[in-house]
Amino acid sequence: MNTKQDFFTRKKEELAVVLNDVQLAAVRHTEGPLLLLASPGSGKTTTVIMRIAYLIEEKGVAPSRIKAITFSRAAANDMKDRFRKFFPYLQPVDFSTIHSLAFELVRAYFRKVNMPFRLIEGDADMQFHKKTILRNLYKSTSGVNITEDQLEELMTYISYIKNKMVPSEKWASVATEVPGAERILMQYEAFKRTGTGQLLLDFDDMLTKANEILQKDADLRRMYQERYDYVLTDESQDTSMVQHVIVEKLVQVHQNLCVVADDDQSIYSWRGAESAYLLNFKKVYPDAKILYMEQNYRSSQEIVTAANQFIKRNKHRYDKNMFTENPAAGPIRFVRLPDYKYQAKYLAQNIGLLENFFETAVLYRNNTSSIALINEFDRAGIPFYMKDADNRFFSHWVVQDILNMMRLTFTDKRADILEQVHSKLNGYITKQQLEAVKRIRNNKSVFDNLIQYAPLKAYQKKQILEVKETLRQMNGMPPLDAIKVIRGRLGYEKALGNLCKKFGFRKDYLIGILNTLEEIADTLSTMEEFAARLKHLEQVLKMAKLKKGKNAVTLSTFHNSKGLEFENVYMIDLVEGIIPGSDEKEDELLMEESVRLFYVAMTRAKKSLEMVSYEKRNGNQMMDSRFVSAIKKIVSGRKKTTRTGSVERKVKMVGLGKDTAEIPYNPNAIKDVSAFTVGKKVKHRVFGHGEILSVDGDTLEIRFEKRVVKLSAVTCLKMGLLEEVDKL
Ligand code: ATP
Ligand code: MG
């Protein structure tokens, strides 16, 4: 037995991991360029980690000579964790993002040439922040304020150009919906160079600069080239052109580069990722070895077969055939709820019943979906982890508007509070009118002062008195009712409509915020409690970042779930308009990216995968995502041709009450509350058999085989969760 076999035999004994032939070849091929192109769950990351250990243990390479590059900080941390889990006794290598490598280089260079620079992204001072600069430039070129959506779009446009290394003469040809984007970018570039006393750099500039430095500074180039003997990159399908060329320069001398990728999981092309580069790998590295892996070790038969079939609807891809030897683990489940508003409750109810939260993830496309979830999960006492917790919801101006209007119900003497919302109430009080009464200190209602002292239009007086009276009536109202009054009688929703027309905000987004606030307000009795609940949730959200590795459900966007795996996965919001998004339907390439995103999400599941959609949202009829329909079709098609009789192929559908009458959901479910009696034998979808121990109002206490749980009777009825079991 030679030493190499020793390594693999040892790993088999220590870790119970037996690498397959391709994985073995990838680990052993340490010298020279290697491209490992493989399907999800085929062991790419595992192979990279084994390869690092192999280099250290078998080849005697010092850990400091190995560089593992990822493209997000989260991915770098995940890899570090996995490495530590596998090889706790080894000194970890340098797992870091390409941005941090670029930053080091840029810092070294500017120190050398003795030139100060300032970063304008991340934790940068707001005064010099990229967003502030772009906002100012937009305002000075177009005369109006940029909306948040436009700002996001403008930043994407800039990132795309920088990452793709598009020369300035072609900037105008890059599509964007932001008017004058090219001109703003020109001004932005000039401002960064000469607008302040020092050079300003954003995150994309760090990459561009690092590449330039490697190009023109022979000393620094040599220094960095000599720093690492082995370079590895995971998730390389999401590498951009500028990142590829930085890596090229870094490994130019020794060419010991291992690139791991799956073109079917490329989900950042909107930001300039260049998965097509992988096609040209041989051109850049003529001696490269290219290996393919198609066996999936992660997921069940059902998931692998459906995902493999599904991704074939894309035309622009390497044809692969993912397969697995894993056993069947039950069919993919499809759930269509009557309304979006049940979704978070449904998830909390179902997930709350699970034995173990750690291996469960709820995945959604848009970050905004998370607020309704954390509200319900927090209420249900379900711990959750969020890598990408985003606190922007709580500081959003719509949320602040609602809180300010609620404050006005406690006192209407404060002109400073009214000043925050004056134009968004019936009566449309203008700035000038408010100015007229702002400095009056007579301890009277600001509305009375307006009527007495401000120059009002004839129609305003009546409306302002109505607003005053409505606010008075709202005093002490439960917050849900108060929000409804604000939206309707106080004219807030109408005002939002006008603002959308004027500034181009997305109305459905703003309405979504109001609906989420209503969900949060539901069951609370006072507005003070509501304000406190928002504060509490904001805090909970902050804490959610720290729950990593704890017994907590993971809540994540599809994008951020890349590379991860869970026993149970719930994919939610699977409706047309969200996935695929409205603008993706018209564009073949965008549509393919949407397909890949869906594919990434579904291939996170090891055993249980549930796809959740709904019929209505905010009163609008919703259609199931075409991808859900496609998976249903694949699954039902497979049912007919299946060879393995033991595999259950039936698609299980669960609905909520009458609204889903056409769906053959559990027809045996208990539908009447009178059936809930102590001693009754029941069966639950997830828990199995049990017996009702007590009925207390809406709370059913049931002893199931493994434990006793409390369930809401109404939810059980609505969702058809319980069946009556014959005593015989
Ligand atoms: P993704 O494309 O989603 O990033 P991946 O290709 O990186 O997936 P890994 O995460 O490395 O795949 O592996 C998926 C799962 O398969 C892990 O649980 C891993 O432990 C397991 N696995 C990988 N290789 C083997 C093997 N040879 N034998 C048994 N299990 C394996
Ligand atoms: Mg991986």
Side-chain angles (χ1 to χ4, degrees):
M1 200 184 270
N2 65 29
T3 42
K4 279 175 199 162
Q5 278 169 328
D6 277 350
F7 174 83
F8 295 110
T9 321
R10 258 194 341 262
K11 294 307 136 195
K12 183 178 164 187
E13 280 162 16
E14 288 167 12
L15 307 165
V17 173
V18 184
L19 297 186
N20 66 31
D21 289 348
V22 187
Q23 292 174 330
L24 277 176
V27 170
R28 285 195 178 121
H29 183 89
T30 54
E31 312 305 302
L34 168 73
L35 171 62
L36 183 56
L37 211 53
S39 302
S42 60
K44 293 185 293 297
T45 307
T46 309
T47 304
V48 166
I49 284 167
M50 289 293 259
R51 190 179 147 97
I52 294 172
Y54 181 81
L55 283 168
I56 299 171
E57 284 189 35
E58 290 299 300
K59 295 258 162 166
V61 177
S64 60
R65 309 289 305 166
I66 303 171
K67 175 84 177 165
I69 299 177
T70 63
F71 302 96
S72 74
R73 208 179 299 167
N77 289 335
D78 282 336
M79 214 183 220
K80 218 179 278 178
D81 287 349
R82 280 214 214 183
F83 186 80
R84 212 178 290 134
K85 231 185 262 169
F86 266 32
F87 307 107
Y89 51 87
L90 287 182
Q91 187 191 332
V93 302
D94 193 359
F95 293 101
S96 62
T97 62
I98 189 127
H99 279 94
S100 75
L101 175 77
F103 180 61
E104 264 183 56
L105 243 164
V106 167
R107 202 175 38 189
Y109 174 78
F110 284 115
R111 197 176 290 151
K112 182 173 152 186
V113 298
N114 200 14
M115 189 172 158
F117 74 97
R118 179 194 276 269
L119 270 187
I120 55 166
E121 238 179 312
D123 298 333
D125 197 331
M126 242 12 234
Q127 191 191 347
F128 295 101
H129 200 281
K130 176 180 191 177
K131 287 187 176 179
T132 314
I133 300 169
L134 288 173
R135 274 198 194 101
N136 292 343
L137 288 173
Y138 186 89
K139 177 104 193 213
S140 68
T141 37
S142 65
V144 290
N145 291 325
I146 191 165
T147 67
E148 284 302 303
D149 287 346
Q150 284 176 318
L151 183 61
E152 286 295 322
E153 166 102 20
L154 181 60
M155 300 219 293
T156 305
Y157 169 81
I158 297 174
S159 280
Y160 183 90
I161 281 174
K162 297 287 180 63
N163 275 283
K164 284 240 179 214
M165 305 172 80
V166 179
S168 56
E169 62 274 16
K170 293 204 176 138
W171 288 355
S173 64
V174 175
T176 171
E177 281 176 12
V178 182
E182 181 214 356
R183 202 154 30 111
I184 296 168
L185 177 53
M186 296 276 185
Q187 292 171 355
Y188 175 62
E189 291 302 301
F191 182 83
K192 282 186 297 179
R193 278 194 305 272
T194 56
T196 63
Q198 55 191 329
L199 181 68
L200 306 181
L201 296 178
D202 64 19
F203 286 168
D204 299 321
D205 293 329
M206 284 199 308
L207 299 174
T208 316
K209 275 273 169 264
N211 185 41
E212 270 171 34
I213 295 164
L214 286 173
Q215 182 83 40
K216 67 183 185 196
D217 189 316
D219 288 341
L220 274 177
R221 181 172 62 238
R222 202 169 319 111
M223 196 176 126
Y224 273 81
Q225 283 174 341
E226 286 172 1
R227 190 149 156 193
Y228 303 109
D229 296 322
Y230 296 91
V231 176
L232 308 97
T233 70
D234 195 5
E235 303 281 2
S236 314
Q237 71 279 357
D238 289 322
T239 308
S240 70
M241 201 59 191
V242 67
Q243 293 168 341
H244 280 303
V245 295
I246 289 174
V247 174
E248 261 176 44
K249 294 193 176 76
L250 198 63
V251 303
Q252 209 168 37
V253 179
H254 53 68
Q255 303 248 315
N256 294 333
L257 171 67
C258 169
V259 169
V260 169
D262 176 6
D263 58 313
D264 287 332
Q265 294 186 71
S266 157
I267 51 177
Y268 285 103
S269 67
W270 52 278
R271 219 167 59 182
E274 195 87 43
S275 67
Y277 178 92
L278 303 172
L279 293 170
N280 293 325
F281 200 74
K282 273 268 187 200
K283 279 199 193 124
V284 182
Y285 303 100
D287 298 332
K289 184 173 176 107
I290 301 185
L291 294 171
Y292 299 89
M293 300 198 300
E294 293 177 327
Q295 178 165 1
N296 179 305
Y297 290 92
R298 174 181 296 146
S299 310
S300 68
Q301 275 288 340
E302 291 89 343
I303 295 165
V304 169
T305 319
N308 183 51
Q309 197 68 33
F310 175 70
I311 195 65
K312 286 182 190 290
R313 64 193 278 138
N314 275 359
K315 294 195 196 78
H316 303 90
R317 64 185 288 266
Y318 284 117
D319 193 25
K320 307 189 207 69
N321 266 308
M322 177 167 66
F323 68 96
T324 188
E325 287 173 1
N326 289 347
I332 297 173
R333 302 187 304 277
F334 303 95
V335 170
R336 184 162 157 84
L337 303 172
D339 199 297
Y340 162 76
K341 66 183 176 197
Y342 297 118
Q343 185 173 256
K345 282 195 180 66
Y346 169 79
L347 291 163
Q349 177 95 56
N350 270 264
I351 291 172
L353 303 176
L354 297 174
E355 288 279 290
N356 184 352
F357 298 137
F358 181 60
E359 275 288 345
T360 299
V362 180
L363 308 180
Y364 37 84
R365 179 162 202 183
N366 298 324
N367 225 329
T368 44
S369 301
S370 61
I371 303 295
L373 291 178
I374 65 162
N375 180 45
E376 284 302 333
F377 280 33
D378 180 67
R379 270 190 191 151
I382 302 171
F384 52 90
Y385 162 65
M386 277 173 91
K387 173 166 69 184
D388 42 357
D390 176 2
N391 277 335
R392 273 180 300 184
F393 176 84
F394 298 99
S395 53
H396 195 280
W397 55 267
V398 169
V399 178
Q400 296 309 318
D401 281 353
I402 296 293
L403 287 173
N404 278 321
M405 293 197 198
M406 288 183 171
R407 283 184 193 116
L408 286 175
T409 70
F410 296 107
T411 169
D412 66 358
K413 292 176 184 165
R414 299 256 313 260
D416 59 323
I417 301 177
L418 183 62
E419 193 178 11
Q420 310 297 320
V421 292
H422 64 92
S423 59
K424 297 170 198 163
L425 290 164
N426 279 342
Y428 300 107
I429 303 157
T430 65
K431 207 171 160 51
Q432 291 75 7
Q433 290 166 342
L434 197 71
E435 284 299 322
V437 298
K438 238 171 94 179
R439 267 168 282 282
I440 299 174
R441 298 268 181 276
N442 59 1
N443 201 30
K444 281 197 183 149
S445 157
V446 60
F447 298 108
D448 289 341
N449 282 341
L450 277 165
I451 288 167
Q452 199 170 349
Y453 302 110
L456 298 181
K457 298 240 165 53
Y459 73 89
Q460 278 184 298
K461 194 172 162 187
K462 186 166 163 269
Q463 288 188 340
I464 288 174
L465 277 175
E466 269 170 22
V467 167
K468 181 190 168 196
E469 176 56 18
T470 307
L471 286 168
R472 196 192 58 77
Q473 287 170 9
M474 283 167 69
N475 187 284
M477 210 179 239
L480 178 58
D481 298 347
I483 298 173
K484 288 191 192 302
V485 175
I486 292 170
R487 293 176 76 158
R489 216 158 12 119
L490 281 182
Y492 186 62
E493 207 164 308
K494 204 163 62 189
L496 283 189
N498 292 339
L499 286 174
C500 289
K501 275 192 212 121
K502 202 161 151 197
F503 296 114
F505 301 135
R506 274 187 8 243
K507 179 138 188 226
D508 53 348
Y509 177 66
L510 303 181
I511 296 292
I513 294 179
L514 288 174
N515 291 342
T516 304
L517 288 177
E518 287 195 357
E519 280 182 61
I520 294 171
D522 193 15
T523 74
L524 299 178
S525 20
T526 66
M527 290 187 241
E528 288 97 328
E529 274 178 55
F530 175 70
R533 175 105 191 124
L534 286 182
K535 278 251 157 322
H536 168 73
L537 289 177
E538 191 172 2
Q539 201 52 34
V540 166
L541 194 56
K542 274 194 198 127
M543 300 305 289
K545 280 186 194 170
L546 311 174
K547 294 256 168 58
K548 188 168 185 188
K550 305 267 160 45
N551 183 24
V553 177
T554 296
L555 308 182
S556 167
T557 57
F558 291 167
H559 275 99
N560 280 329
S561 72
K562 198 165 54 117
L564 305 179
E565 57 186 21
F566 307 90
E567 290 284 317
N568 316 307
V569 168
Y570 293 81
M571 290 169 71
I572 66 168
D573 289 331
L574 301 183
V575 293
E576 288 281 298
I578 291 186
I579 183 133
S582 327
D583 46 350
E584 289 162 346
K585 293 177 194 164
E586 315 301 328
D587 183 308
E588 193 188 345
L589 291 182
L590 288 182
M591 182 60 111
E592 291 209 351
E593 178 125 333
S594 199
V595 168
R596 291 193 293 268
L597 187 58
F598 195 90
Y599 176 75
V600 165
M602 70 183 288
T603 52
R604 299 309 97 204
K606 293 189 194 168
K607 292 203 175 107
S608 143
L609 174 61
E610 182 162 312
M611 300 190 168
V612 183
S613 61
Y614 32 78
E615 284 175 38
K616 277 195 186 144
R617 184 166 181 157
N618 309 337
N620 298 323
Q621 205 64 36
M622 305 303 288
M623 298 244 296
D624 266 4
S625 160
R626 68 192 66 189
F627 303 156
V628 170
S629 313
I631 301 281
K632 278 186 187 168
K633 213 159 147 196
I634 291 168
V635 178
S636 57
R638 198 152 47 88
K639 196 168 62 181
K640 290 186 201 103
T641 56
T642 180
R643 285 171 288 121
T644 48
S646 63
V647 183
E648 193 191 346
R649 303 288 186 184
K650 214 173 89 212
V651 182
K652 188 170 172 189
M653 298 203 198
V654 180
L656 280 189
K658 291 197 193 77
D659 304 28
T660 50
E662 83 277 12
I663 297 172
Y665 88 103
N666 189 356
N668 303 320
I670 296 176
K671 297 183 187 69
D672 195 310
V673 74
S674 63
F676 294 141
T677 51
V678 174
K680 170 93 45 157
K681 299 269 191 299
V682 290
K683 189 175 158 220
H684 187 277
R685 291 184 51 220
V686 180
F687 277 132
H689 289 265
E691 181 183 332
I692 300 183
L693 294 181
S694 71
V695 182
D696 179 11
D698 184 44
T699 308
L700 305 174
E701 195 178 16
I702 306 178
R703 186 204 310 282
F704 289 104
E705 281 145 12
K706 290 199 173 140
R707 61 183 165 129
V708 175
V709 289
K710 286 187 178 160
L711 299 174
S712 148
V714 171
T715 315
C716 288
L717 289 175
K718 263 196 205 158
M719 299 185 182
L721 292 177
L722 292 174
E723 273 177 44
E724 203 163 335
V725 181
D726 262 338
K727 286 187 201 82
L728 289 176

